[in-house]
Amino acid sequence: MIPEIEAFLLCETPPAWIEQALQHPEELLIDHANCEKKAAGTALTLMFRYAEKEDLQQKMSRLAREELRHFEQVTAIMKKRGIKYRQLSASEYAKRLHQHARIQEPGRLIDTLIIGAFIEARSCERFYRLLPHLDEELGKFYQSLLKSEARHFEDYLKLAQQYSKEPIEERVAFFAEQERQAIFTADATFRFHSGVPAL
């Protein structure tokens, strides 16, 4: 596990989620593809919303390209396995974080970037936790994603620090606890970022 991400997150993915992921390999890949597409969309939204912020423009442009490339790679694996891409309902994970974001600027931007860091960090952690349980092809692919997801996490966090006029540690700690709660909230539907399985 990448040490910075392990230190950033307050908890590991529960074993019950790993078990559920292995029972839903099709949904795992489809929702993974959805997550990559949504991540690219988030980056592009930030580029349009904050056009005056040069560093954000450059980092989000690169991030969007990488996320779309990952989308293409996931859907290529799905095609090889006879899995058709389709729409799935979104998990509640991101909503559980975004509901706490501030509305007024610059708080809105800072919180959005911090939330982005947590989403990327959790994605990286889940790829890592799944690795020992996957077939060779999928395992190699998920291993290859660890570095880019970790870099995305770092980019979001650095941008939050750069654009905040005050230290961000308090907001990071606040969202770390919200993220932990989201991971341990029971979800009836399995998704890549869903919480623990509902009994």
Side-chain angles (χ1 to χ4, degrees):
M1 190 62 212
I2 295 166
E4 292 82 2
I5 286 178
E6 198 163 30
F8 187 65
L9 299 171
L10 293 184
C11 66
E12 292 183 6
T13 289
W17 182 88
I18 303 290
E19 292 172 16
Q20 195 179 34
L22 299 176
Q23 292 166 11
H24 295 85
E26 188 168 308
E27 287 84 356
L28 176 68
L29 287 173
I30 294 171
D31 200 48
H32 177 185
N34 281 339
C35 288
E36 300 290 1
K37 190 162 64 169
K38 283 185 284 189
T42 296
L44 290 171
T45 295
L46 288 169
M47 289 180 70
F48 281 104
R49 186 179 292 160
Y50 302 102
E52 74 285 0
K53 300 191 182 302
E54 183 179 352
D55 288 347
L56 181 146
Q57 294 287 305
Q58 295 302 317
K59 286 183 177 176
M60 291 299 105
S61 175
R62 179 182 180 184
L63 189 149
R65 290 197 307 275
E66 289 186 337
E67 302 289 23
L68 287 174
R69 177 62 183 142
H70 296 164
F71 171 79
E72 294 166 6
Q73 291 173 310
V74 179
T75 51
I77 289 173
M78 287 167 52
K79 189 172 183 179
K80 282 176 64 177
R81 297 176 183 219
I83 300 171
K84 286 191 176 294
Y85 180 76
R86 65 180 189 273
Q87 285 294 344
L88 293 177
S89 60
S91 75
E92 294 294 307
Y93 173 81
K95 189 187 297 182
R96 288 172 185 149
L97 299 181
H98 281 289
Q99 69 181 350
H100 299 287
R102 289 169 285 183
I103 298 173
Q104 300 298 321
E105 299 291 0
R108 181 188 186 192
L109 171 60
I110 305 310
D111 285 356
T112 300
L113 292 169
I114 291 171
I115 290 167
F118 275 104
I119 293 172
E120 296 290 344
R122 181 59 65 184
S123 297
C124 186
E125 188 263 352
R126 290 204 158 170
F127 291 140
Y128 177 80
R129 301 291 172 209
L130 285 167
L131 281 177
H133 309 283
L134 302 174
D135 60 72
E136 185 177 1
E137 179 188 42
L138 200 54
K140 281 184 178 178
F141 175 51
Y142 277 17
Q143 178 76 48
S144 75
L145 295 180
L146 291 177
K147 284 186 179 179
S148 60
E149 298 297 325
R151 188 177 63 256
H152 297 168
F153 146 73
E154 290 171 349
D155 284 347
Y156 272 118
L157 205 57
K158 285 176 183 175
L159 288 171
Q161 291 168 337
Q162 178 178 339
Y163 293 124
S164 180
K165 296 176 182 177
E166 55 194 30
I168 65 170
E169 285 76 13
E170 189 175 319
R171 290 304 284 173
V172 170
F174 171 79
F175 280 109
E177 177 55 26
Q178 301 308 315
E179 201 272 343
R180 186 193 69 79
Q181 290 181 24
I183 292 302
F184 283 103
T185 298
D187 279 319
T189 305
F190 168 78
R191 295 290 182 264
F192 189 82
H193 286 107
S194 56
V196 293
L199 297 176

